[in-house]
Amino acid sequence: MLVFTLKRLLASIPTLFAVLTVIFVLVRIVPGDPALAVLGDSASEEVIQEFRKSIGIDKPLWEQYLVFMGDVLQGNLGLSMATGKTVVEEVSNVLPYTLELTVASIIIGVVFGIPLGIFSAIYRNHFFDYLARMVSLLGLSFPAFYISILFMIYLSVEWDWFPVFSEYIPWSDPLTRLYHLALPALSLGVIMIGYVARTSRSSMLEVLGEDYIRTAKSKGLPRNMVVFKHGFRNALIPILTLTGLYLGLLMGNSVLTEIVFNRPGLGGLIVGSLESRDYTMLQGLIVTYAFFIVLANLITDISYGLVDPRVKNND
Amino acid sequence: MTEPVFCVKDLSISFKLNGKWCQATQNVNFDLMENETLCIVGESGCGKSITAMSCLGLLPKKKNIHIEGQVLYKGVNLLDLTEKELNDYRGDDLSMIFQEPMTSLNPVLTVGEQITESLLVHKSMTKAQARETGIELLNKVKIPEAEKRFSQYPHQFSGGMRQRVMIAIALACKPTVLFADEPTTALDVTIQAQVLHLLKELRRETKMSMVMITHDMGVVASVADKVLVMYGGQVIENSSCKDLFEAPNHPYTKALLNAIPRPDRHIDHLTSIPGQVPTLAGMPSGCRFSTRCELVSDQCAMTPDVNTVAGQQSHHYRCWNV
Ligand SMILES: Nc1ncnc2c1ncn2[C@@H]1O[C@H](COP(=O)(O)OP(=O)(O)OP(=O)(O)O)[C@@H](O)[C@H]1O
Ligand SMILES: [Mg+2]
């Protein structure tokens, strides 16, 4: 298992390189001169040149590329054009908020979505199945910000159960922080429940029709053993893959949720840097997202090895 | 006369295809005495597997599948039992070797786990006892390095070895009746012979009865006491093995026996039966073989009666024109 994990780890390095290269190119083909954006139209030629030099975009592209890669590998994402602080500092101030939001909603999605989907498959076309499918359809069809707003109107404003706006809470006060996390995490979690439940249901239905389930039945095993020991573990394999994929979706949706709840996080930074055309900040944010998506894929890959013996042994 | 251990009476299985009920097997009957081996032969799709599966209550209980008739094990009609009641018999008294060795084993559980499961459930063995028995079983089905193989996963086994693992699983609780659905088809000839030998040996040791499904008339000749020949879901001939080979009655049986290549018959091409098996939805009424039969006549539009061969009490066939 250790060897397998190391191999996967090594395999994700080229992916990360490729992603960084794409980001480098993307940022540079976006139209608009960052210098003009920051300094305004009226800036003199001299000032503009000075500025271009200060952020290194006067050099040839290949040199910019090497510098960019070198910096990123050393954990240096440059200075924010808007605030003058380092991007790393700005990002790491709010990153924990976004991470706890995504992790919490994944947990909500998995903890409720998997059982919902699995039982929905077992009781296919019974009342429970229809109910569960309705619930997951709700999660699937409402956009994140809409659910956020609904929750906010009812749970915060009307009934006053949760705070309307979140703010910076130090970790030294974990309960308050959790309290502020609850509503945003729930509104993202509902979406995850929808996706995870749908995947779990279809994957379990497929597995229950497999030949080895018939074999298990022919052994006279009790129904629970057939369904959970023989069915569930196999159904988990596609559930894991798709949950890994949904992480990307979740990060996108978290931006909107953070904005609706006025929650500190990457979402606020993105909007801010778009408004001020803070080009280094934007680049740094994309790198951060890319890093976490590659990380999520890595975790998905490794968890495969835990569930599916074929993956571990073939490598 | 002693009672049969296992008995199938007028078993008809229908599937609803595109809103229309199609009868996949029609009034299948057979008895199985203790220690007796019955072979079911017939072309692909004639309903052999579903017959065996319904004997263990393994056909899904869905609205588009309808089963009529009786499946009696020691006098109990298995078709009347709930899944829970069936579980007392399945894997213990009755077990089945499936036709598809590649997909019939669970990919995420070790082979050992899959063999010992039924021992733990039915024989209340401890883990250690079950392990010992499991390794013994692997040795019995001639898996080399059984101890090591015990904790490996199915994907580490070849097709033939998986089939032998399936056999070990089915034999684990020493069943009274074993249903073997083409257990040797995936195996090469030497292993095939070993497996047949093994099954015969077990039969001697444990007084097991066996229903073996096969395409291979050679296998029939070597293991069967009785033979059931099926065509398009109907039993068209049944008899003792000896009588069938010596004096087949039904034109289909004759054609089937003629289709076996034999070195003593110098023919340039293999004999085959002209035409194709009708599809489930397009079964002719009456004799289902009539579309391909040399002896076909007007009468064949009606289902033929069961005739008994003179002087051979247990030799029956369904044909108007013999
Ligand atoms: N679940 C099902 N739904 C609809 N039709 C089915 C189903 N299972 C089997 N059949 C049909 O029943 C018929 C008999 O199938 P069966 O598997 O018993 O054939 P078989 O005699 O075992 O053939 P083979 O030698 O190829 O294994 C086939 O025509 C098949 O298409
Ligand atoms: Mg079959």
Side-chain angles (χ1 to χ4, degrees):
Chain A
M1 195 62 211
L2 190 68
V3 178
F4 172 74
T5 310
L6 284 178
K7 271 187 185 163
R8 284 294 128 136
L9 203 63
L10 285 178
S12 64
I13 291 176
T15 319
L16 206 55
F17 258 95
V19 170
L20 288 178
T21 308
V22 171
I23 293 173
F24 174 84
V25 173
L26 274 183
V27 168
R28 272 151 191 83
I29 57 174
V30 171
D33 187 336
L36 282 184
V38 171
L39 302 172
D41 288 343
S42 56
S44 72
E45 188 61 21
E46 217 165 87
V47 178
I48 290 177
Q49 284 311 328
E50 190 63 26
F51 179 80
R52 294 174 72 97
K53 202 167 171 182
S54 75
I55 60 167
I57 56 174
D58 59 331
K59 301 197 182 91
L61 267 186
W62 63 268
E63 209 180 319
Q64 286 184 39
Y65 178 69
L66 289 184
V67 171
F68 168 74
M69 286 302 223
D71 281 350
V72 170
L73 289 185
Q74 290 169 38
N76 177 5
L77 295 173
L79 295 179
S80 159
M81 291 178 188
T83 63
K85 290 192 199 157
T86 68
V87 170
V88 171
E89 190 189 336
E90 296 265 12
V91 168
S92 48
N93 268 341
V94 294
L95 186 62
Y97 290 88
T98 297
L99 282 187
E100 73 188 23
L101 176 62
T102 12
V103 170
S105 40
I106 285 252
I107 292 177
I108 292 176
V110 166
V111 165
F112 292 98
I114 291 183
L116 203 64
I118 297 293
F119 282 102
S120 188
I122 298 175
Y123 297 105
R124 183 185 193 178
N125 293 340
H126 286 48
F127 176 71
F128 180 83
D129 184 25
Y130 291 120
L131 195 76
R133 276 155 74 184
M134 282 256 284
V135 171
S136 84
L137 197 64
L138 285 183
L140 290 172
S141 41
F142 283 116
F145 68 89
Y146 186 71
I147 292 188
S148 305
I149 291 173
L150 274 187
F151 276 7
M152 188 188 256
I153 291 175
Y154 289 102
L155 301 182
S156 307
V157 179
E158 288 271 313
W159 300 331
D160 208 16
W161 290 356
F162 292 100
V164 178
F165 291 123
S166 310
E167 51 213 270
Y168 288 91
I169 313 278
W171 256 128
S172 48
D173 188 4
L175 281 182
T176 318
R177 186 144 164 170
L178 215 58
Y179 178 58
H180 281 252
L181 172 66
L183 208 49
L186 204 62
S187 29
L188 269 187
V190 169
I191 295 174
M192 276 310 275
I193 292 176
Y195 279 96
V196 174
R198 187 177 64 169
T199 312
S200 307
R201 179 177 185 272
S202 63
S203 148
M204 190 69 181
L205 276 181
E206 194 174 321
V207 164
L208 288 180
E210 294 282 352
D211 286 345
Y212 51 77
I213 294 295
R214 194 181 59 197
T215 310
K217 278 188 192 155
S218 81
K219 292 181 199 168
L221 305 182
R223 182 181 150 90
N224 278 343
M225 220 165 141
V226 174
V227 169
F228 292 104
K229 183 172 173 193
H230 287 264
F232 182 60
R233 273 192 66 182
N234 280 291
L236 214 50
I237 298 166
I239 297 178
L240 278 177
T241 328
L242 288 164
T243 307
L245 282 181
Y246 295 149
L247 193 90
L249 189 105
L250 198 59
M251 289 197 111
N253 273 318
S254 73
V255 172
L256 296 172
T257 305
E258 282 171 354
I259 292 166
V260 171
F261 287 100
N262 199 22
R263 208 182 127 76
L266 296 181
L269 269 192
I270 288 189
V271 176
S273 58
L274 280 175
E275 274 168 4
S276 60
R277 287 234 175 187
D278 190 342
Y279 144 101
T280 37
M281 177 61 89
L282 213 51
Q283 178 174 287
L285 283 169
I286 302 174
V287 171
T288 312
Y289 275 114
F291 175 78
F292 279 103
I293 291 191
V294 172
L295 186 71
N297 281 335
L298 182 67
I299 295 174
T300 314
D301 272 357
I302 291 173
S303 52
Y304 265 172
L306 290 175
V307 178
D308 189 347
R310 284 165 295 189
V311 177
K312 194 170 38 181
N313 289 315
N314 282 349
D315 262 31
Chain B
M1 222 176 94
T2 49
E3 284 287 299
V5 193
F6 202 90
C7 184
V8 166
K9 282 195 177 135
D10 284 325
L11 182 69
S12 301
I13 303 168
S14 311
F15 297 107
K16 198 172 192 174
L17 300 175
N18 304 323
K20 205 175 126 234
W21 285 101
C22 303
Q23 216 172 25
T25 71
Q26 194 182 57
N27 295 39
V28 172
N29 283 295
F30 63 83
D31 297 333
L32 200 60
M33 297 294 171
E34 187 183 73
N35 210 11
E36 197 173 44
T37 298
L38 169 79
C39 275
I40 304 182
V41 295
E43 240 155 313
S44 182
C46 69
K48 306 180 298 286
S49 297
I50 52 171
T51 301
M53 270 187 254
S54 61
C55 289
L56 273 85
L58 285 176
L59 286 182
K61 295 195 169 45
K62 286 198 290 201
K63 281 194 209 104
N64 57 355
I65 301 181
H66 184 70
I67 306 177
E68 267 174 290
Q70 286 185 315
V71 172
L72 301 168
Y73 172 67
K74 293 188 172 162
V76 181
N77 185 2
L78 300 181
L79 295 181
D80 289 342
L81 300 186
T82 62
E83 289 285 310
K84 211 170 165 182
E85 290 165 331
L86 272 173
N87 282 342
D88 290 340
Y89 297 100
R90 289 197 288 222
D92 194 5
D93 300 36
L94 311 172
S95 69
M96 181 156 178
I97 300 168
F98 292 95
Q99 194 174 358
E100 303 84 4
M102 299 310 276
T103 52
S104 292
L105 291 172
N106 191 327
V108 305
L109 299 176
T110 63
V111 159
E113 232 170 315
Q114 301 187 55
I115 295 180
T116 52
E117 257 177 344
S118 50
L119 293 169
L120 296 172
V121 169
H122 297 295
K123 302 287 184 217
S124 8
M125 287 192 181
T126 63
K127 276 238 153 109
Q129 286 169 324
R131 187 190 152 85
E132 205 173 300
T133 317
I135 292 173
E136 228 168 78
L137 281 160
L138 284 180
N139 274 321
K140 225 173 200 171
V141 293
K142 307 264 175 355
I143 301 257
E145 299 179 278
E147 197 122 349
K148 187 179 122 211
R149 289 295 192 164
F150 185 83
S151 42
Q152 288 188 342
Y153 290 92
H155 72 269
Q156 292 161 300
F157 287 66
S158 70
M161 284 164 95
R162 283 188 218 188
Q163 185 64 292
R164 279 179 279 163
V165 170
M166 280 302 304
I167 296 173
I169 290 176
L171 295 178
C173 292
K174 302 216 166 80
T176 326
V177 184
L178 173 70
F179 293 83
D181 195 350
E182 306 195 20
T184 56
T185 312
L187 306 177
D188 60 61
V189 186
T190 44
I191 311 272
Q192 218 175 66
Q194 280 174 17
V195 166
L196 289 180
H197 182 74
L198 171 76
L199 289 174
K200 280 196 240 174
E201 210 170 86
L202 269 155
R203 199 185 124 192
R204 214 173 28 239
E205 269 173 35
T206 64
K207 296 257 181 279
M208 170 177 87
S209 313
M210 183 159 73
V211 174
M212 164 117 65
I213 295 171
T214 180
H215 285 287
D216 187 338
M217 292 310 267
V219 172
V220 176
S222 88
V223 300
D225 297 314
K226 294 203 284 204
V227 188
L228 203 69
V229 185
M230 287 181 74
Y231 184 87
Q234 290 174 329
V235 176
I236 48 110
E237 184 155 3
N238 71 27
S239 89
S240 71
C241 182
K242 186 166 154 287
D243 288 344
L244 191 90
F245 277 91
E246 278 173 8
N249 271 281
H250 196 283
Y252 176 69
T253 319
K254 285 182 187 162
L256 202 64
L257 289 172
N258 264 329
I260 308 172
R262 282 200 330 224
D264 58 333
R265 256 192 276 151
H266 293 284
I267 37 172
D268 295 333
H269 61 278
L270 296 176
T271 331
S272 66
I273 307 170
Q276 280 186 344
V277 189
T279 59
L280 259 194
M283 280 294 169
S285 58
C287 175
R288 293 180 169 187
F289 187 57
S290 57
T291 50
R292 297 168 75 189
C293 186
E294 293 174 338
L295 305 177
V296 64
S297 68
D298 292 346
Q299 250 179 323
C300 301
M302 287 179 300
T303 306
D305 296 329
V306 177
N307 302 310
T308 306
V309 178
Q312 300 176 350
Q313 266 207 1
S314 59
H315 191 165
H316 309 281
Y317 63 93
R318 260 177 205 271
C319 183
W320 292 115
N321 301 321
V322 174

